[in-house]
Amino acid sequence: MTTLSLSDQAIAILRGNDRGGYTVPTEGLYPYQWNWDSAFAAYGFAEFDLPRAWQEIETLFSGQWQNGMVPHILFHQKDDGYFPGPDVWGTDKCSGNAVSSSGISQPPVAATFTRALFEKDIAFGKEKLEALFDKFVAWHGWFMRHRGESGAICVTHPWESGRDNAADWDAAMANVDASNVGDYTRRDTSHVNPEMRPTKRDYDVYLAILYFARDNGWDEQRILDDGLFRVADPTLTFTLLRANRDLKWMGEQLGRDVSEIDGWIVALEEGVKSLWNEDIGCYDAKDLRTGLFAGNVTSAAFLCWYAGIDDKRMLPHLERFLIASPHAVASLDPTSPHYNPKRYWRGPVWVIVNTLIGIGLEDAGYRSEAERIRSDCARLIEGGGFAEYFDPEDGTPAGGGVFTWTAASWLAWVSKDPKEA
């Protein structure tokens, strides 16, 4: 019997999670197409099947709303066991799209990974990119119009950040009345140890925020003015700034007018400054209802380099994280009172975020730091497989075991020779 190499295993995971034009994050736990998961899938597919990689992005944009928003979930096929499903979100009458979806978006990493596809074969990708470029502009414009009022980009639901139960949201969530959400059955806690997932109170708040937006017809202005949650987020701000830089580059290759994108880049470079919390000397989430910072150092802050912001003030924090955690960058400061090495975004290592941090560090010339992260991620995968996330202290895998985006990160970045990455 032959043992498949890790790369062969990663390819098999992407193929196995392929549902015909889109991938699910993993079998069972997540049965639909998720936005930034899908972008990572394309990044991984590009290593062995470039046409399939482009198809992943094209399918993602098949669910784009008329206002430009690209949802965080596309419900291509009905699955009665998943909650909250399309009937709960109630977006069909306001999206202007036949594909049922959620009503929020997710970190816009798709443009950056689409650039990676394009650069692999410009001749092949030019026609693909021509058909997608205006859709990207519409989506990024939606973020700037509806999430950028503070200069930084805000989230109106914790799920929009991709970091569902991050400590960044605790104070803002504490002010949400979730007493009337009713009974429901979660799918995640039947697949994964509940001690590794968001709490019951967390989920009640998630649903209360969702129900408010749904009951107000997903009216963006009403959600901003009167919604239950509005927090400026380093993840969305940094990923959108990077995505705009890459979208501008692609526009230039196509001979498009990129002056509007130039304006977005300038605005976000200035807006990033509003996320600097002097009290902790770090980029931080900020509750736009109270004006208060969350007071946390999280892995999201290290996305500054990915965004093209070479802030040397962040290097001591990074060094401290890497010393405290033998396995790459933890999702929350290990010295935080909220730290939990096994609970979702409150401590565990996520290879996908470490990949983005590593890419940014390489781009900024911090080769040794990037290589430390790359080798740590490789060791985690070699020891624990393609898990959703890992314990930063002992490296044990957690969540699902055959995750699309972990496999994609292995193929496209973690396993690469740094000279080729």
Side-chain angles (χ1 to χ4, degrees):
M1 177 185 289
T2 59
T3 302
L4 290 177
S5 71
L6 284 170
S7 292
D8 286 338
Q9 292 177 44
I11 291 170
I13 287 171
L14 265 65
R15 294 293 197 202
N17 288 337
D18 188 347
R19 295 297 179 268
Y22 70 95
T23 52
V24 296
T26 192
E27 177 72 30
L29 182 57
Y30 299 113
Y32 300 114
Q33 183 179 20
W34 262 259
N35 188 318
W36 70 326
D37 299 67
S38 200
F40 271 95
Y43 190 42
F45 272 121
E47 293 299 308
F48 62 93
D49 189 342
L50 191 56
R52 179 61 186 80
W54 279 104
Q55 185 184 29
E56 188 78 24
I57 301 296
E58 291 165 345
T59 306
L60 176 61
F61 275 91
S62 73
Q64 185 169 33
W65 285 25
Q66 285 184 343
N67 66 4
M69 192 266 282
V70 179
H72 97 294
I73 307 175
L74 299 183
F75 302 107
H76 293 292
Q77 298 179 11
K78 190 170 179 60
D79 187 318
D80 292 331
Y82 182 81
F83 180 87
D87 294 343
V88 177
W89 286 92
T91 63
D92 288 351
K93 293 183 179 179
C94 52
S95 68
N97 193 304
V99 180
S100 294
S101 72
S102 64
I104 58 175
S105 197
Q106 246 183 350
V109 296
T112 297
F113 292 153
T114 297
R115 174 176 175 172
L117 310 190
F118 185 60
E119 289 186 292
K120 281 187 175 295
D121 189 334
I122 289 177
F124 174 77
K126 189 169 185 181
E127 182 178 348
K128 299 287 188 181
L129 184 58
E130 285 279 11
L132 287 166
F133 183 79
D134 290 338
K135 297 177 181 181
F136 271 114
V137 171
W139 184 26
H140 292 196
W142 174 86
F143 272 117
M144 298 301 294
R145 291 191 306 276
H146 298 297
R147 298 290 186 268
E149 96 237 50
S150 71
I153 302 299
C154 75
V155 292
T156 60
H157 193 294
W159 288 338
E160 199 161 51
S161 71
R163 301 183 298 128
D164 301 13
N165 69 325
D168 287 350
W169 324 130
D170 286 359
M173 287 177 61
N175 294 323
V176 176
D177 179 4
S179 59
N180 295 316
V181 298
D183 296 330
Y184 57 91
T185 300
R186 293 167 59 176
R187 186 173 189 146
D188 61 332
T189 52
S190 66
H191 286 261
V192 179
N193 184 341
E195 294 183 358
M196 297 181 180
R197 307 297 290 183
T199 66
K200 172 67 163 58
R201 161 65 187 177
D202 290 338
Y203 226 84
D204 287 349
V205 173
Y206 302 154
L207 292 176
I209 298 169
L210 187 165
Y211 293 160
F212 174 90
R214 179 197 63 190
D215 294 345
N216 285 280
W218 297 99
D219 182 308
E220 294 290 0
Q221 196 57 52
R222 180 70 190 278
I223 291 169
L224 287 176
D225 291 343
D226 303 317
L228 307 182
F229 184 91
R230 194 166 92 253
V231 181
D233 175 32
T235 309
L236 279 184
T237 304
F238 287 138
T239 55
L240 184 61
L241 177 51
R242 170 61 181 258
N244 281 333
R245 296 190 198 280
D246 291 322
L247 188 61
K248 174 187 175 180
W249 181 88
M250 289 188 288
E252 290 172 339
Q253 307 314 302
L254 298 178
R256 299 294 192 95
D257 179 2
V258 296
S259 57
E260 182 178 36
I261 303 172
D262 276 328
W264 295 341
I265 292 170
V266 171
L268 287 175
E269 286 176 336
E270 185 64 28
V272 160
K273 298 174 184 177
S274 70
L275 297 178
W276 186 260
N277 182 347
E278 288 287 356
D279 290 342
I280 61 173
C282 183
Y283 294 105
D284 192 8
K286 188 174 187 179
D287 189 336
L288 297 181
R289 299 215 172 282
T290 65
L292 299 176
F293 282 108
N296 299 305
V297 183
T298 72
S299 57
F302 302 123
L303 295 174
C304 59
W305 293 292
Y306 176 79
I309 304 294
D310 183 7
D311 194 331
K312 291 179 174 54
R313 296 174 297 179
M314 289 300 303
L315 288 171
H317 285 297
L318 179 63
E319 180 180 3
R320 183 168 58 80
F321 267 54
L322 292 174
I323 291 173
S325 167
H327 300 287
V329 179
S331 50
L332 178 63
D333 187 342
T335 67
S336 168
H338 308 296
Y339 170 78
N340 181 329
K342 295 189 183 298
R343 192 180 288 278
Y344 218 44
W345 289 95
R346 302 182 81 86
V349 167
W350 293 74
V351 169
I352 48 118
V353 173
N354 275 259
T355 293
L356 300 182
I357 294 170
I359 290 170
L361 288 167
E362 283 183 334
D363 289 349
Y366 299 107
R367 299 289 177 177
S368 62
E369 291 85 352
E371 190 51 31
R372 159 68 197 275
I373 292 171
R374 190 196 308 274
S375 62
D376 281 4
C377 289
R379 189 173 65 252
L380 286 171
I381 292 171
E382 288 163 357
F386 298 96
E388 185 176 10
Y389 47 93
F390 299 84
D391 186 313
E393 296 176 8
D394 61 22
T396 55
V402 286
F403 253 74
T404 291
W405 60 6
T406 309
S409 292
W410 170 268
L411 290 168
W413 189 75
V414 176
S415 67
K416 293 283 191 180
D417 184 320
K419 297 176 182 178
E420 300 174 0

